[in-house]
């Protein structure tokens, strides 16, 4: 996509042509300044007229009351704003920037992944003092996985100890990023007074008399910094010459490069994901944010710059969905939100075609059509009703009820499913009950709504005891759910002890048969199914296919048979935990003209799976956490010994200016109480982060104690 084609090829009714749309996320380690940076962006883009400080709890992106209290951002709300670059090929053109909030806490990695899927580019915020912290690495790797082009903002340049170049070095070392400065800081810490733009070779001085930092002066680069600036510009040009022939040629022949030529090459380099442009700033002191916004517009891709999204139709064929308003509509619901004023909002990204309000959309998962009654663009301080959502847009719809996070919504004839993001299995569960029994129904309703919003949060209930179980990605995750129950749904609930969410799977293929026959007088029952099961890869969940040919099981009874199999998979044969990562093929069966019913085949499905599982080498799985401990070298031995005692496997060890970073894999079962233990072990000096990694077989030596102490009644959802 060149710069020349600024006018829109698309419908003249579009407010912003696709070329001038940027869908971005802001990703950061907690405390690096994501909220403050987002705040300032909204301020500079004119959406917010008064700067709300984080510590006053008025930041607009922090929608949820508890986020304000905790000071972390856990929802992925999308906010739209507009920015006009003052220079460059896009000069004078207003761009729409949609900011999709990405959560910063490890317990919410699934939310991060989900929001990364709908982004075209991201701003990674690092702290100029803290540098690349463990969680920034996690988010970075996720952005790599989803091929998200990035620019980096090194924030907090005003803080004591700020070191712009050290953070760039760290990005190269730890993240393997081909990171290069786009701007150099003039001064640091208290004396951070401006930036040198390595593209225009001008110095930008912040106007200190302007408290809001809107004004700045552009001057010549001061003599003492000219050499340094020249050297950095040289390496920058060298780094991007690989991506652009014009720049390569001129660079080699020593010819001067025009600003626009450099910008085009920088854009190509950034979009290729092989290059990261870095900008220093201080969001808090209103420094550098305007340059960051210019870079977002100049270098991060528009939906047109990226390859089309690929979905699958019901025949399992690939369907390319390019950003074209005249194509058939397809979009991805990436966030559900209950708004106190307008009710249930579904945030979605349009991949192709356009969607008009008042029309129907098709959901391939539920096979239902639903009417979209309103379309909204969310701004920091307002919700704007719109009539049409165009390709590349990110907005919210109202009216559709039966939608879950990750669902595709499309035109019926397209019948396409965009591959949903892979969501990890929950690792922790607890029982929950309302303080007053009158609230039971309200609680169930609220929990089911919350699990629609958040695929990593699951609810199940035990029919016999009436107990409700909730499961999620960590204790904090479940604690926040309980908090939301109270705040948003006014249900006070007590939770039981957190328990490990064990899973079961099979280790070999087997055949099984299920028969449900009652034929003694009156209307009988007859259902019969034969299945074959085999292990499947991690994350595959439960996959059931029918290979029935010739009507051994009549068509109308296939789905009930499958339902029975899914039902039985909720309780494995080892210790009644859900069974995952296996594939079932329904291969044979029989029926009776009069006595066969849906119910009989459902029972046959249940019996068939239980039968097959017994012969398939069933095993119990436990969640394994990826744990990273940062400790002073003095305590390295103790920390490692302790991890070993916890059945941990050390993966890597790295020493960094007298701190040691130990990466390991440890079963979650052995991590309870770790926060306290690691603190006392290291006299409070070590800290750690952990996140779910995978599931592994429970060692035989522990199997008995686990199945005995955690024996559960069979659970039905
Ligand atoms: P988040 O957790 O990444 O969203 O970070 P916040 O935006 O909430 O910032 C964390 C803390 O750092 C807050 O107390 C901010 O006021 C402070 N902060 C953010 N940006 C800057 C900055 O540029 N300089 C300084 N000195 N502090 C900052």
């Amino acid at each position: 996509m060149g710069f020349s084609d600024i006018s829109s090829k698309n419908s003249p009714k579009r407010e912003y042509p696709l070329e001038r749309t940027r869908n971005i996320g802001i990703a950061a380690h907690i405390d690096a300044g994501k909220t403050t940076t987002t705040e300032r962006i909204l301020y500079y883009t004119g959406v917010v007229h008064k700067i709300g400080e984080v510590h006053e709890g008025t930041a607009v992106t922090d929608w949820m009351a508890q986020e304000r209290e905790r000071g972390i951002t856990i929802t992925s709300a999308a906010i739209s704003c507009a920015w006009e670059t003052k220079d460059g090929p896009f000069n004078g053109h207003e761009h729409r920037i949609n900011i999709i909030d990405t959560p910063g806490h490890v317990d919410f990695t699934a939310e991060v992944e989900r929001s990364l899927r709908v982004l075209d580019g991201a701003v990674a915020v690092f702290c100029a003092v803290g540098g690349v912290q463990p969680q920034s690495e996690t988010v970075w790797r996720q952005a790599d996985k989803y091929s998200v082009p990035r620019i980096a903002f090194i924030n907090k340049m005003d803080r004591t100890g700020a070191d712009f170049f050290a953070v760039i070095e760290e990005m190269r070392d730890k993240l393997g990023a081909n990171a290069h400065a786009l701007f150099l800081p003039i001064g640091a810490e208290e004396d951070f007074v401006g930036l040198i733009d390595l593209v225009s070779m001008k110095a930008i001085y912040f106007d200190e008399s302007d408290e809001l930092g809107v004004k700045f002066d552009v001057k010549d680069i001061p003599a003492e910094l000219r050499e340094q600036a020249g050297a950095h510009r040289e390496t920058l040009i060298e780094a991007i010459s690989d991506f652009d022939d014009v720049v390569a040629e001129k660079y080699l022949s020593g010819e001067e490069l025009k600003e626009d030529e450099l910008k085009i090459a920088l854009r190509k380099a950034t979009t290729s994901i092989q290059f990261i442009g870095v900008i220093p700033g201080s969001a808090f002191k209103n420094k550098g944010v305007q340059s960051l916004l210019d870079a977002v517009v100049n270098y991060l891709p528009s939906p047109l710059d990226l390859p089309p999204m690929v979905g699958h139709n019901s025949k399992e064929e690939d369907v390319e969905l390019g950003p074209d308003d005249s194509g058939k509509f397809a979009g991805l619901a990436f966030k559900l939100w209950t708004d106190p004023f307008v009710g249930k909002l579904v945030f979605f990204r349009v991949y192709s075609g356009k969607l008009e309000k008042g029309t129907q959309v098709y959901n391939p998962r539920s096979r239902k059509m639903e009417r979209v009654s309103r379309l909204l663009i969310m701004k920091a301080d307002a919700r704007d009703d719109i009539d049409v959502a165009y390709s590349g847009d990110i907005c919210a719809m109202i009216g559709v009820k039966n939608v879950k996070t990750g669902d595709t919504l499309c035109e019926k004839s397209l019948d396409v499913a965009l591959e949903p993001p892979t969501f990890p299995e929950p690792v922790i569960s607890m029982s929950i009950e309302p303080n007053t029994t009158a609230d039971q129904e309200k609680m169930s309703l609220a929990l089911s709504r919350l699990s629609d919003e958040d695929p990593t949060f699951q609810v199940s209930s035990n029919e016999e005891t009436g107990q409700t179980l909730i499961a999620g990605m960590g204790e904090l995750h479940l604690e926040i759910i309980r908090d939301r129950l109270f705040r948003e749904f006014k249900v006070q609930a007590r939770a039981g002890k957190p328990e490990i969410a064990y899973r079961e799977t099979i280790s070999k293929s087997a055949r099984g048969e299920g028969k449900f026959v009652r034929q003694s007088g009156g209307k009988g029952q007859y259902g019969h199914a034969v299945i074959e099961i085999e292990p499947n890869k991690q994350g595959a969940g439960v996959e059931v296919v029918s290979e029935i040919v010739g009507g051994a099981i009549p068509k109308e009874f296939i789905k009930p048979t499958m339902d029975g199999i899914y039902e039985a998979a909720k309780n494995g044969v080892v210790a009644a935990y859900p069974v995952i990562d296996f594939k079932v093929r329904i291969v044979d069966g029989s029926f009776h003209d009069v006595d066969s019913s849906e119910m009989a085949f459902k029972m046959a499905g249940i019996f068939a799976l239980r039968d097959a599982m017994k012969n398939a080498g069933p095993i119990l799985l436990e969640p394994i956490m990826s744990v990273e401990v940062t400790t002073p070298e003095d305590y390295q031995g103790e920390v490692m010994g302790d991890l070993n005692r916890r059945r941990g496997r050390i993966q890597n060890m790295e020493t960094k200016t007298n701190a040691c970073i130990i990466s390991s894999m440890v079963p979650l079962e052995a991590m309870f109480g770790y926060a306290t233990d690691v603190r006392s072990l290291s006299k409070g000096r070590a800290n750690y982060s952990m996140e779910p990694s995978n599931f592994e077989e429970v060692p035989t030596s522990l199997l008995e104690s686990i199945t005995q102490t955690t024996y559960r009644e069979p659970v039905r959802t």
Side-chain angles (χ1 to χ4, degrees):
M1 187 61 225
F3 277 111
S4 52
D5 188 11
I6 296 293
S7 67
S8 174
K9 294 193 295 288
N10 297 297
S11 155
K13 281 189 294 181
R14 287 183 78 103
E15 201 185 344
Y16 291 89
L18 265 172
E19 300 87 310
R20 282 193 257 139
T21 300
R22 300 288 177 272
N23 294 319
I24 65 159
I26 299 179
H29 185 277
I30 284 179
D31 252 22
K34 185 177 77 180
T35 310
T36 312
T37 307
T38 310
E39 259 279 319
R40 295 312 197 261
I41 287 179
L42 295 175
Y43 170 72
Y44 285 111
T45 56
V47 180
V48 179
H49 304 289
K50 179 179 151 284
I51 296 192
E53 298 298 347
V54 174
H55 58 254
E56 289 167 8
T58 54
V60 281
T61 42
D62 275 6
W63 286 8
M64 300 162 77
Q66 78 210 42
E67 281 178 61
R68 286 178 203 172
E69 282 170 19
R70 289 170 202 270
I72 56 171
T73 310
I74 57 164
T75 67
S76 64
I79 295 188
S80 301
C81 59
W83 182 247
E84 189 179 313
T85 45
K86 299 286 178 293
D87 55 22
F90 281 132
N91 189 12
H93 287 280
E94 206 169 72
H95 287 67
R96 162 161 293 156
I97 302 177
N98 296 314
I99 304 173
I100 296 110
D101 193 19
T102 54
H105 193 276
V106 274
D107 270 10
F108 310 105
T109 43
E111 280 218 26
V112 181
E113 295 212 5
R114 192 190 319 147
S115 41
L116 286 177
R117 267 174 64 89
V118 299
L119 306 173
D120 297 322
V123 173
V125 179
F126 295 93
C127 170
V129 183
V132 179
Q133 287 141 311
Q135 232 245 304
S136 343
E137 285 189 62
T138 312
V139 178
W140 194 269
R141 280 196 296 275
Q142 284 166 330
D144 281 339
K145 177 171 155 194
Y146 289 101
S147 305
V148 179
R150 273 147 281 173
I151 47 186
F153 185 61
I154 310 291
N155 189 36
K156 304 200 187 183
M157 281 300 296
D158 60 301
R159 272 188 57 191
T160 310
D163 191 341
F164 178 64
F165 298 105
V167 182
I168 294 190
E169 251 341 286
E170 238 189 310
M171 288 177 67
R172 292 178 183 160
D173 278 0
K174 287 188 132 182
L175 307 173
N178 182 20
H180 291 271
L182 298 174
F183 294 83
L184 300 184
I186 304 178
E189 306 178 351
E190 262 176 36
D191 301 322
F192 175 49
V193 293
L195 299 177
I196 293 173
D197 183 341
L198 295 177
V199 173
S200 68
M201 287 305 262
K202 290 278 178 207
I204 299 167
Y205 285 93
F206 312 116
D207 185 342
E208 301 274 345
S209 69
D210 175 17
E211 222 176 87
L212 298 179
V214 179
K215 294 190 203 141
F216 53 83
D217 298 320
V218 179
K219 293 185 184 160
D220 285 338
I221 299 174
E224 69 277 14
L225 291 176
R226 250 175 241 156
E227 195 181 323
Q228 190 195 18
H232 279 278
R233 179 181 160 96
E234 186 83 3
T235 46
L236 177 66
I237 292 174
E238 189 184 348
I240 58 172
S241 63
D242 287 347
F243 301 94
D244 186 275
D245 294 342
V246 178
V247 172
E249 234 177 87
K250 291 198 171 179
Y251 171 66
L252 288 175
S253 61
E255 239 179 289
E256 260 314 296
L257 274 152
K258 294 200 196 81
E259 234 181 280
D260 284 3
E261 287 171 340
L262 269 179
K263 283 189 170 147
I264 288 170
L266 276 167
R267 184 180 181 79
K268 282 186 192 160
T270 308
T271 307
S272 78
I273 328 178
Q274 310 293 321
F275 170 89
I276 310 288
V278 191
I279 303 160
S282 162
F284 185 69
K285 295 276 168 80
N286 301 302
K287 293 174 176 179
V289 178
Q290 298 175 73
S291 299
L292 172 66
L293 275 164
D294 285 343
V296 164
V297 162
N298 283 331
Y299 308 134
L300 288 181
S302 84
L304 286 176
D305 297 316
L306 298 170
M309 188 76 172
V310 179
H312 301 283
N313 63 17
S314 46
K315 291 186 211 107
E316 296 286 312
E317 295 160 337
D318 284 1
V319 182
E320 277 200 359
L321 300 164
D324 177 5
D325 293 343
S326 60
K328 289 183 177 171
F329 168 71
L332 181 76
F334 66 91
K335 178 77 194 172
L336 268 54
W337 186 261
T338 311
D339 183 283
F341 299 103
V342 285
K344 187 163 163 178
L345 289 175
V346 178
F347 282 91
F348 69 108
R349 153 106 195 224
V350 186
Y351 283 100
S352 75
K354 55 181 197 258
L355 177 68
E356 285 173 48
K357 82 164 185 203
T359 55
Q360 306 249 336
V361 283
Y362 179 67
N363 184 336
R365 182 184 54 82
S366 64
R367 311 214 160 275
K368 291 212 172 76
M369 298 285 290
E370 284 196 82
R371 187 170 169 276
V372 178
S373 57
R374 277 172 79 187
L375 288 170
L376 297 175
I377 288 211
M378 311 302 282
K379 300 197 166 159
D381 56 350
R383 305 172 184 79
D384 286 358
D385 270 279
I386 52 168
D387 294 329
V388 189
Y390 295 95
S391 57
D393 279 350
I394 285 183
C395 35
M397 61 170 84
I398 300 180
V400 288
K401 301 264 164 353
N402 192 8
V403 174
K404 291 188 177 190
T405 300
D407 278 356
T408 303
L409 299 166
C410 61
E411 232 171 88
K412 185 150 194 227
S413 60
L414 199 56
D415 192 14
V416 69
L418 293 155
E419 213 178 330
T422 46
F423 292 117
E425 288 285 326
V427 295
I428 285 230
S429 77
M430 51 174 72
S431 64
I432 185 166
E433 63 178 310
N435 285 1
T436 56
T437 37
D439 274 351
Q440 182 67 46
E441 201 176 322
K442 215 159 112 191
M443 184 182 84
S444 307
L445 211 72
L447 288 176
S448 97
R449 208 190 255 181
L450 291 170
S451 77
D452 280 354
E453 279 181 20
D454 176 356
T456 61
F457 170 63
Q458 294 179 3
V459 189
S460 57
S461 70
N462 182 322
E463 267 174 13
E464 283 99 81
T465 61
Q467 204 179 38
T468 303
L469 284 178
I470 56 176
M473 302 313 295
E475 285 182 65
L476 178 62
H477 187 196
L478 295 183
E479 198 188 308
I480 283 173
I481 295 275
R482 212 151 58 93
D483 212 26
R484 287 187 64 185
L485 263 184
F486 175 59
R487 281 167 198 278
E488 292 170 37
F489 301 93
K490 310 281 177 287
V491 179
Q492 254 176 323
R494 278 193 301 272
K497 226 169 69 251
E499 283 176 18
I500 312 283
Y502 290 100
R503 290 290 180 263
E504 297 183 20
T505 194
I506 55 170
S507 53
K508 57 182 189 210
S509 303
R511 202 175 163 90
E513 186 169 359
K515 239 182 186 170
F516 186 73
V517 183
R518 301 275 182 280
Q519 288 178 313
S520 50
K523 162 118 178 63
Q525 294 286 355
Y526 189 98
H528 173 215
V530 181
I531 60 168
E532 280 173 8
I533 63 177
E534 61 193 87
N536 208 345
K537 59 180 186 300
Q538 279 225 357
V542 186
E543 190 185 341
V544 186
V545 295
S546 164
E547 288 182 357
I548 296 289
V549 281
I553 297 176
K555 243 206 200 123
E556 66 269 32
F557 296 133
I558 300 277
K559 187 168 175 297
T561 310
M562 288 183 169
D563 288 346
I565 293 168
Y566 284 117
E567 178 81 33
K570 285 176 189 160
N571 301 289
V573 294
V574 182
Y577 286 103
V579 191
I580 54 167
D581 302 342
F582 71 110
K583 183 172 175 173
V584 183
R585 289 176 296 120
I586 307 174
V587 291
D588 202 1
S590 62
F591 67 101
H592 184 275
D593 279 340
V594 181
D595 291 346
S596 279
S597 68
E598 292 194 358
M599 204 279 280
F601 272 97
K602 184 171 176 187
M603 295 308 293
I606 293 177
F607 293 157
L609 187 68
R610 287 195 191 147
D611 182 42
M613 226 135 55
K614 281 188 218 130
N615 304 319
I619 51 176
L620 190 67
L621 299 173
E622 64 178 339
I624 306 294
M625 310 301 282
S626 154
V627 180
E628 193 174 274
V629 189
T630 308
T631 173
E633 271 177 307
D634 297 352
Y635 303 104
Q636 179 186 336
E638 278 93 331
V639 170
M640 285 182 36
D642 178 67
L643 286 171
N644 278 328
R645 277 190 293 280
R646 292 173 193 270
R647 296 196 280 136
R649 285 195 309 270
I650 310 291
Q651 305 280 300
N652 191 29
M653 226 174 54
E654 200 187 324
T655 313
K656 191 181 134 186
T657 49
N658 70 42
C660 173
I661 302 167
I662 304 164
S663 315
S664 61
M665 297 294 215
V666 192
L668 176 60
E669 180 262 341
M671 287 300 289
F672 281 118
Y674 190 63
T676 322
D677 295 351
V678 77
R679 224 176 290 133
S680 68
L681 197 87
S682 66
K683 308 211 166 33
R685 302 268 318 274
N687 50 50
Y688 77 104
S689 70
M690 77 170 174
E691 64 171 296
S693 164
N694 60 313
F695 278 81
E696 281 174 22
E697 184 174 357
V698 173
T700 337
S701 54
L702 293 173
L703 194 59
E704 200 175 325
S705 72
I706 291 170
T707 49
Q708 269 172 7
T709 54
T710 63
Y711 176 75
R712 309 171 340 140
E713 292 291 318
V715 166
R716 311 247 175 272
T717 44

